[in-house]
Amino acid sequence: MPSNSFKDYPMSWKPSIDKTKKPMYQVLADQLKQDIVNEVLLPGTKLPPQRELADYLEVNLSTISKAFKVCVLNGLISASVGSGTYVSYDALSNAYLLEDSKPEHLIEMGATLPDQASFEPLLHQLKNMLQETEYEKWFGYGRAGESVWQKDAAVKLIRRGGFDSSVDRILFATGGQNAIAATLASLCKPGDRIGVDRHTYPGLKTVAAMLRVQLVPIRPGENGEMSPSALEEACKNDNISGIYLIPDYHNPTTIRLSVENRKAIAEIARTYNQFIIEDATYHLHNEKPFPAIASFAPEQVIHIASLSKSIAPGLRLAYIAVPKRFKERLARALYNLNISVSPLLAELSARLIVSNQFEALIEGHREQAIRRNQVVDRYLADFTCLGDETGIFRWLLIPGVMKGTEFESLAARHGVQVYAAERFVVGNSCPERAVRIAVCAPETVEKLEQGLTIIKRLLYEISL
């Protein structure tokens, strides 16, 4: 026990460290990690003030500060100006949503997969390409100068999602996740802070943790959307460098950002010179898309449009409409992360977009989603299950006092995979008691009904 008398002092954490080991800040950081892993410190626990902890351990304040910084960068704790430091709610959550192998005994209602209606048209298009006399070029290296017409296709797709860009701003990436990683790698350095919704895409969380970029949750407004006033407050006080948003059919909460808030957020980005990563993954799920945020602040927004959720998961291709001032840096990052985009997928996607098939495929997916959401509404009519009729997932609020993680485990024991809010929550935000259920992931409507039957029964049981 240190010579200072802390025996009866109410501290949430009283670590014991071996001061003979060096560096001491790393020893303390390792101890904090172990206490979180071993659930000595639970998510949401407020840690003692740094000066108080330094007095307790009889070490320099700088030792505590460096240890806390290590843990912040690793996503274990989250600090807010004026409110203190807390164990992150997502410190131990599994951010990798797709397992290495599909659990055969579970009905898949976790991963956000579109239905399989587009597979046959894609196969037909691919067969036609491989019958052409110069089919060998699809298996070589692609060159930027050969992709002008493919960029024209990208512009058409992005325009369909609510933003009128130009060919000279288009870059290619091997999927939306890759585009996000390259953007953060090119525009951020370790320790930079990015404003996000309090529940956000887990792929962003994994990339940010890898690059040691801190995610700062922005308080929502009454409608659940990111609050422009809270964002402006973060720009002033939290030293954020940029913003990440999914404005259409937000993953996981299904919220759609209003046009008014899109304009307000775009204006804030201009005022404080913030870059915005606009993840347009779900833009095409709306029959009449709102204007993209990029349309209100084209020089601030990196607009990412991908095909995996609207056409097929295997189309690992994303189009990035990027402001000219960021283009060279982002192009270098994409090259170092990608080496090159598959010429085969780039050509296949471009042909699909410029063909008459494209709108028919989008409409086919939308009709399938509507049919499946009608099934969800029928089974879960007695519960709050947020989401629009054209979405491929829903946000189910859990009745009673059960946490999302507890319901996820309960559903898995009964044969259904869903994903809890804790997988999506950021920093010291309190997760909603909710789970995301994927409407289009089950291979058939019959499988969907089997899964919903189980979920419905469990919801009634925990409501008693």
Side-chain angles (χ1 to χ4, degrees):
M1 170 65 67
S3 59
N4 294 332
S5 180
F6 282 88
K7 181 178 180 182
D8 299 317
Y9 192 78
M11 292 175 66
S12 59
W13 186 45
K14 295 183 178 181
S16 176
I17 61 173
D18 184 350
K19 294 183 181 179
T20 64
K21 295 183 178 179
K22 305 294 180 182
M24 198 179 303
Y25 79 88
Q26 188 63 58
V27 175
L28 182 60
D30 292 342
Q31 183 61 54
L32 181 53
K33 178 180 179 181
Q34 283 302 115
D35 284 350
I36 293 172
V37 169
N38 295 330
E39 299 186 346
V40 174
L41 289 171
L42 299 177
T45 300
K46 185 175 182 179
L47 296 174
Q50 292 186 27
R51 189 170 298 279
E52 191 174 285
L53 201 54
D55 288 344
Y56 172 73
L57 291 172
E58 296 182 334
V59 299
N60 292 331
L61 179 60
S62 62
T63 299
I64 307 298
S65 298
K66 290 173 71 174
F68 274 29
K69 184 176 182 180
V70 168
C71 291
V72 165
L73 291 175
N74 287 324
L76 296 172
I77 62 176
S78 180
S80 299
V81 176
S83 62
T85 304
Y86 296 79
V87 177
S88 297
Y89 277 96
D90 60 342
L92 300 178
S93 64
N94 176 18
Y96 298 93
L97 296 193
L98 278 179
E99 305 293 341
D100 290 340
S101 59
K102 181 181 177 182
E104 296 297 330
H105 66 290
L106 294 180
I107 297 173
E108 178 61 81
M109 296 184 70
T112 53
L113 304 173
D115 64 86
Q116 300 179 12
S118 59
F119 289 8
E120 188 172 338
L122 281 171
L123 177 61
H124 180 71
Q125 185 74 257
L126 184 59
K127 285 181 177 178
N128 286 341
M129 287 173 57
L130 296 179
Q131 289 172 358
E132 295 176 7
T133 54
E134 297 182 349
Y135 71 88
E136 298 96 337
K137 63 185 176 182
W138 312 132
F139 301 98
Y141 281 117
R143 298 184 184 277
E146 299 170 351
S147 63
V148 174
W149 99 272
Q150 294 173 357
K151 291 183 177 181
D152 283 330
V155 169
K156 179 179 179 179
L157 176 79
I158 291 170
R159 185 183 299 122
R160 176 67 177 75
F163 176 42
D164 196 0
S165 187
S166 56
V167 169
D168 62 325
R169 295 190 175 214
I170 300 300
L171 296 173
F172 292 172
T174 53
Q177 173 85 358
N178 177 249
I180 293 168
T183 302
L184 289 182
S186 62
L187 301 185
C188 299
K189 60 183 182 299
D192 280 357
R193 296 156 67 85
I194 302 296
V196 298
D197 289 287
R198 63 176 180 170
H199 295 85
T200 197
Y201 170 49
L204 172 72
K205 293 168 59 176
T206 58
V207 168
M210 179 181 68
L211 297 174
R212 297 201 161 194
V213 172
Q214 186 181 353
L215 302 183
V216 178
I218 307 299
R219 186 180 68 252
E222 292 182 1
N223 55 6
E225 300 177 25
M226 181 182 287
S227 164
S229 61
L231 174 61
E232 186 162 22
E233 184 180 314
C235 291
K236 291 177 180 177
N237 302 321
D238 287 332
N239 194 32
I240 64 173
S241 303
I243 306 154
Y244 170 87
L245 284 164
I246 307 175
D248 283 283
Y249 219 82
H250 175 263
N251 181 11
T253 63
T254 75
I255 289 170
R256 192 181 189 191
L257 196 63
S258 67
V259 174
E260 179 184 6
N261 279 351
R262 292 173 195 234
K263 290 179 179 178
I265 289 170
E267 181 60 32
I268 291 168
R270 280 196 298 268
T271 300
Y272 294 92
N273 195 28
Q274 302 283 329
F275 67 82
I276 295 177
I277 303 173
E278 181 176 24
D279 189 339
T281 298
Y282 301 101
H283 277 25
L284 296 180
H285 291 260
N286 300 299
E287 187 172 4
K288 296 180 179 179
F290 288 163
I293 298 174
S295 65
F296 301 118
E299 296 309 313
Q300 308 297 135
V301 180
I302 297 94
H303 181 91
I304 301 171
S306 59
L307 298 172
S308 63
K309 305 301 184 186
S310 55
I311 299 295
L315 281 180
R316 306 309 302 165
L317 182 69
Y319 303 123
I320 311 172
V322 57
K324 292 181 180 178
R325 63 189 174 124
F326 299 140
K327 187 177 178 182
E328 185 177 348
R329 277 185 285 170
L330 184 49
R332 285 200 303 265
L334 285 166
Y335 177 80
N336 289 323
L337 290 172
N338 285 335
I339 303 304
S340 66
V341 171
S342 163
L344 180 65
L345 289 184
E347 182 71 12
L348 175 61
S349 299
R351 292 191 183 197
L352 185 70
I353 292 167
V354 300
S355 72
N356 294 328
Q357 276 188 317
F358 180 66
E359 288 295 340
L361 287 177
I362 294 295
E363 182 59 29
H365 282 301
R366 189 180 296 117
E367 290 174 356
Q368 181 67 246
I370 290 172
R371 285 194 292 271
R372 290 188 173 222
N373 277 296
Q374 288 172 344
V375 175
V376 174
D377 290 339
R378 188 168 71 248
Y379 275 83
L380 303 182
D382 293 337
F383 304 94
T384 303
C385 193
L386 305 177
D388 294 334
E389 63 177 2
T390 58
I392 63 174
F393 58 87
R394 303 285 287 272
W395 189 235
L396 174 64
L397 304 187
I398 307 301
V401 297
M402 180 173 281
K403 297 177 182 178
T405 48
E406 294 171 335
F407 189 84
E408 178 182 322
S409 297
L410 178 66
R413 290 197 298 272
H414 288 82
V416 180
Q417 176 71 74
V418 296
Y419 289 145
E422 285 79 356
R423 292 178 179 259
F424 306 91
V425 76
V426 176
N428 61 3
S429 300
C430 184
E432 291 189 26
R433 288 186 292 102
V435 294
R436 190 188 72 186
I437 58 174
V439 175
C440 294
E443 295 178 358
T444 63
V445 173
E446 290 72 28
K447 275 287 186 184
L448 173 64
E449 291 189 290
Q450 289 178 32
L452 290 170
T453 299
I454 294 169
I455 291 172
K456 179 180 179 180
R457 174 172 55 80
L458 296 177
L459 290 171
Y460 276 125
E461 288 177 358
I462 66 174
S463 299
L464 297 178

